[in-house]
Amino acid sequence: MLQRSKKTDTCTAPEIAKTSSFRRGEPIYQAATAGKAWRVITGSVRLDRTEADVVMFAGLAVKGDIIGAETLLFGHYSFDAKALSDCALEPWQADAARPLGETLLETLTAAERRAADVISLRCGQAVDRVTRLIHLLAKENATKAAAQVAMPGVRDMAEITDLTVETISRIISRLTKIGALSRLGQRRVLLRRFPLQAFPA
Amino acid sequence: MLQRSKKTDTCTAPEIAKTSSFRRGEPIYQAATAGKAWRVITGSVRLDRTEADVVMFAGLAVKGDIIGAETLLFGHYSFDAKALSDCALEPWQADAARPLGETLLETLTAAERRAADVISLRCGQAVDRVTRLIHLLAKENATKAAAQVAMPGVRDMAEITDLTVETISRIISRLTKIGALSRLGQRRVLLRRFPLQAFPA
DNA sequence: CGCCGCGTTGAGCCACGTCAACATAGGTGG
DNA sequence: CCACCTATGTTGACGTGGCTCAACGCGGCG
């Protein structure tokens, strides 16, 4: 294992809730253990469910999403969470200044929309799926024409889109070749915002 | 359009919340319109999202699931809902006898689990996907060894699993041939509870 | 150094998509 | 009642997108 835990607080300003940082690939929490709910500040997180001894991809969280809300009800997590890219989380609790119901409803509808996003990542041709995934991960750092994206490993991308690592790798090469993507360092890319269907074969 | 609206109440007992019935294929509500939240009593419902003028499958609800909770926050629905099989719904509101937060949290975690189920419907080989879908629809009327399932149309099953109608049809024929499924009338089947992986080629 | 995990690329094959023809059920009008 | 129509489901033949298997490059680490 190359990643080492680095849960030091990255935020020193006292008036802001403390954030925790996780390195790409690092586990954030395990199903059936106790802990708090979190809000994703930067980076992306993958949720997994173990069923009949098989770990399956079960959800994705990006900037602004809440994960682990089920602990507030059950006292323990229902999924495993793992950092897809380097990421920062802050503890989440219902905002005292607003009615609890409203906050939870907001979380609920956000979760439903995110779920629909994830479902759409498993729909249609491989190029489109990978492109949609990268767009989804680009929710932050986005300008109008392009966005910097911290890329997860090919294995994670494969499990999220239900493709194979070979296909993911080939598609990223292809997107790079046609200029839809440029590498910025090892695991960052610049995504040019093409209309999704405007790719030459 | 062959289906006619039949929103008469099917439940006459005064102490129970009134249910509404919908026929297979009938729209339940449209995105951006106002209405209430519902709990699915029997049957199954499909949710769709329209994005860039394309209608995409976005979620699935079976017995016990809550749909349309977002109206409580926004005042209008975010998805289209359509009956996959004949189904009954009852209006849903937070139970006055319990804290609102608890009810909503329960709904939230149920939604997340259902989302993970739906994601798993787009994972792996076609036979497994269709089998998982039928098992999911069999949440009601289940005995230990077998379950009666009201089948959606092949077109809906195709869009849910991201397969084609031809593949769905072929797989159902195959499952029937090997005895995993028996037809009970036109659109009901008896599902024998095999371990999922125990299918001969 | 060798080892290991990750990513990349090629060759071949097969599961599923595509296209086409046909079957069946219901609905509608005469 | 039948004749006709349309929506839905079924089955076959064929092509292909993505999977499989295999080889190799690269970087980090003991």
Side-chain angles (χ1 to χ4, degrees), chain B residues 7 14 17 29 34-35 37 49 61-62 79 83-84 87 90 92 117 121 126-127 129 131 135 150 161 171 175:
Chain B
K7 291 186 186 153
Y29 56 72
R49 183 164 67 157
V62 300
F79 300 96
L84 281 173
C87 66
E90 77 180 13
W92 179 77
D117 288 335
L121 293 179
V127 203
R129 293 199 229 173
T131 310
H135 274 273
T161 54
I171 283 169
L175 292 176

Side-chain angles (χ1 to χ4, degrees), chain A residues 4-200:
Chain A
R4 242 154 292 144
S5 211
K6 192 177 93 179
K7 290 185 187 153
T8 51
D9 298 327
T10 54
C11 175
T12 51
E15 71 275 12
I16 300 178
K18 294 186 187 176
T19 65
S20 301
S21 300
F22 298 86
R23 309 278 298 272
R24 172 171 131 139
E26 190 179 352
I28 296 170
Y29 57 72
Q30 312 291 332
T33 63
K36 42 194 165 184
W38 302 89
R39 176 192 294 278
V40 179
I41 304 299
T42 62
S44 48
V45 174
R46 123 177 216 185
L47 301 175
D48 288 287
R49 184 164 66 157
T50 304
E51 198 171 338
D53 291 336
V54 180
V55 181
M56 282 191 83
F57 170 71
L60 186 61
V62 300
K63 186 179 193 167
D65 291 346
I66 307 295
I67 59 173
E70 69 272 15
T71 49
L72 303 181
L73 183 63
F74 301 133
H76 56 83
Y77 297 113
S78 339
F79 299 96
D80 295 336
K82 196 184 96 175
L84 281 173
S85 55
D86 292 351
C87 66
L89 309 183
E90 77 180 11
W92 180 77
Q93 55 221 353
D95 185 344
R98 299 173 56 208
L100 173 65
E102 194 179 307
T103 312
L104 278 175
L105 260 177
E106 211 166 82
T107 307
L108 173 60
T109 62
E112 280 174 350
R113 256 175 298 141
R114 182 66 62 235
D117 288 336
V118 171
I119 289 167
S120 81
L121 293 179
R122 288 159 168 255
C123 203
Q125 305 261 103
V127 203
D128 300 326
R129 292 199 228 173
V130 175
T131 311
R132 271 196 294 266
L133 172 58
I134 301 177
H135 274 273
L136 197 57
L137 297 176
K139 277 279 159 75
E140 44 179 332
N141 304 340
T143 68
K144 216 167 22 180
Q148 273 201 39
V149 188
M151 297 287 274
V154 286
R155 175 183 228 89
D156 284 315
M157 297 180 74
E159 286 168 15
I160 292 169
T161 54
D162 193 39
L163 298 166
T164 59
V165 293
E166 293 94 332
T167 302
I168 298 287
S169 175
R170 277 187 256 264
I171 283 171
I172 291 175
S173 301
R174 212 163 106 205
L175 291 175
T176 307
K177 216 163 277 169
I178 66 175
L181 234 49
S182 325
R183 315 222 158 215
L184 302 174
Q186 188 63 298
R187 16 200 69 154
R188 296 209 133 249
V189 300
L190 187 75
L191 171 69
R192 267 172 265 280
R193 299 193 165 277
F194 283 18
L196 277 187
Q197 62 277 26
F199 293 107

Side-chain angles (χ1 to χ4, degrees), chain B residues 137-149:
Chain B
L137 297 176
K139 278 279 158 73
E140 45 180 333
N141 304 341
T143 68
K144 215 168 21 183
Q148 271 202 38
V149 188

Side-chain angles (χ1 to χ4, degrees), chain B residues 2 125-126 162-164 166-167 170 186:
Chain B
L2 56 124
Q125 304 262 101
D162 193 40
L163 297 165
T164 60
E166 293 93 333
T167 302
R170 276 186 256 263
Q186 188 62 295

Side-chain angles (χ1 to χ4, degrees), chain B residues 162-198:
Chain B
D162 193 40
L163 297 165
T164 60
V165 292
E166 293 93 333
T167 302
I168 298 287
S169 175
R170 276 186 256 263
I171 283 169
I172 291 176
S173 301
R174 211 162 105 204
L175 292 176
T176 307
K177 217 162 279 170
I178 65 175
L181 233 51
S182 325
R183 315 222 158 213
L184 304 174
Q186 188 62 295
R187 16 199 69 153
R188 295 209 133 250
V189 300
L190 187 75
L191 170 70
R192 266 171 266 281
R193 299 194 164 277
F194 283 18
L196 276 187
Q197 61 277 24

